[in-house]
Amino acid sequence: MTREGPEADLLAMWRIRAFEEKLQELHKAGDLLGSVHLCIGQEAGPVGACTALSEQDALFATYRGHGWAIARGVPLRPLFAELLGRATGVNGGRGGSAYFSAADHGFYGENSIVGGGVPHAVGAALAGRHDGSGRIAMAVFGDGAMNQGAVPEAMNFAAAFGLPVLFLCENNRYSELTPIRDMVRNEALTDRATALGISATRIDGNDPELVRSTVARYADAARDGHGPAFVELTTQRLVGHYIGDVQQYRTRAELEEDGRAEPIARARAALAESGVDTDAVERAAREEVGAAAAAALADPPADPTTAKEHLYA
């Protein structure tokens, strides 16, 4: 749990935004290699949801999961180091952008298989029922993952056995490069959950306090034995599906509208009316992120001779 409140939420969202923007710089400079998926514009979801979780709870994210790791408390320097292939990374530089995990912080990893983390979360919830930990699990996935077979299968298993797991769908309206409206007949994704007997709601995913209160309510219910829940977070990404995606499938008008709706712009406007120096909040986040990135860049690269360590024989 972290300190809550509008100003704290803005700082937390700026920390994620600044981290992702720094990754863009590092990628352009050639320091960060490979495919990287950013969550710019979707920061309110992790900031709100993660403050509703307890330390022992298990979180499973997608390959767009940097923000979720940061909101879960993973320190910035070892996170940068991991993505930069440094030995000091959270996984020794082995996981990179799409595969890292940080179990010490309740972050059980990203997954480059669309929807692949959902069955894992159900397994963690099942284990939490029997190991006495009181743990609940949370699976985060995108709207496109709703069309992957493993997702409804896992949701049905959780429903049938009343497991303490929360399913959070970040609906940014695009399944990679394809609009969700072109992929489904019924865009009310919550209907798929209620059809399985799972409590479900659709909320504004750009409001961190609303996300927090909704997730906390369902988390408390799951701990009390009321089974799984499904929360659809309506949001948008302000960047391409991956670094380098020029987004020819989106109009300028749509991008401008999304820019007005995104969570940081909304939070800044609201706090400015209350007299908060929102520029100072942004500067604090950028300074913290910049220092962490510089420190990680100075760390030694992962040693390729250790590549066979941590493998099952």
Side-chain angles (χ1 to χ4, degrees), residues 244-264:
D245 172 17
V246 296
Q247 302 190 86
Q248 292 179 336
Y249 49 90
R250 301 178 75 180
T251 66
R252 182 180 298 274
E254 179 184 323
L255 289 169
E256 290 175 352
E257 182 180 351
D258 284 347
R260 291 189 292 270
E262 63 97 355
I264 288 181

Side-chain angles (χ1 to χ4, degrees), residues 77-142:
R77 178 177 177 174
L79 184 53
F80 268 124
E82 182 60 35
L83 274 58
L84 292 167
R86 299 305 200 255
T88 53
V90 289
N91 304 128
R94 302 167 186 271
S97 176
Y99 301 99
F100 72 89
S101 62
D104 289 345
H105 297 275
F107 184 80
Y108 289 88
E110 298 179 300
N111 201 309
S112 67
I113 299 174
V114 176
V118 181
H120 298 167
V122 171
L126 180 62
R129 166 173 290 178
H130 296 289
D131 64 11
S133 66
R135 175 179 62 240
I136 67 170
M138 178 186 292
V140 181
F141 48 93

Side-chain angles (χ1 to χ4, degrees), residues 6 32 41 73 82 98 104 114 123 139 145 153 167 173 183 195 268-269 285 306:
L32 176 63
E82 182 60 35
D104 289 345
V114 176
E153 289 175 3
F167 302 103
R173 307 192 312 273
M183 298 183 64
R268 290 189 73 152
T306 66

